[in-house]
Amino acid sequence: IYRFMPGMDAVRDVEKTPSNDLLPPYDLATCVDCGAIDRMGPNQARFEAAPTTLNIDHHISNVRFGGINLVDTDAAASAEV
């Protein structure tokens, strides 16, 4: 539903895209609405391989696993952060 937004043609779903078809080395990996890195499943390795990692979340249990952590436990949802 978001295909109308500028730049959406560059967005890849890592669950549906073979690793070798993803964009060449990326500068930033972002994780949204996930309280712990081990909950990322197969995406954990891709997240950890990025030079910079961003963790955006609202869960009180978040262990601040990103290089940059935007965690607001007073927020009702990660979208609010």
Side-chain angles (χ1 to χ4, degrees), residues 10-41:
V11 174
R12 301 289 183 265
D13 183 339
V14 295
E15 296 291 326
K16 298 176 182 174
T17 306
S19 295
N20 57 347
D21 289 341
L22 290 174
L23 297 174
Y26 41 90
D27 298 322
L28 171 70
T30 304
C31 181
V32 180
D33 201 36
C34 182
I37 196 166
D38 61 346
R39 299 194 65 178
M40 295 179 73

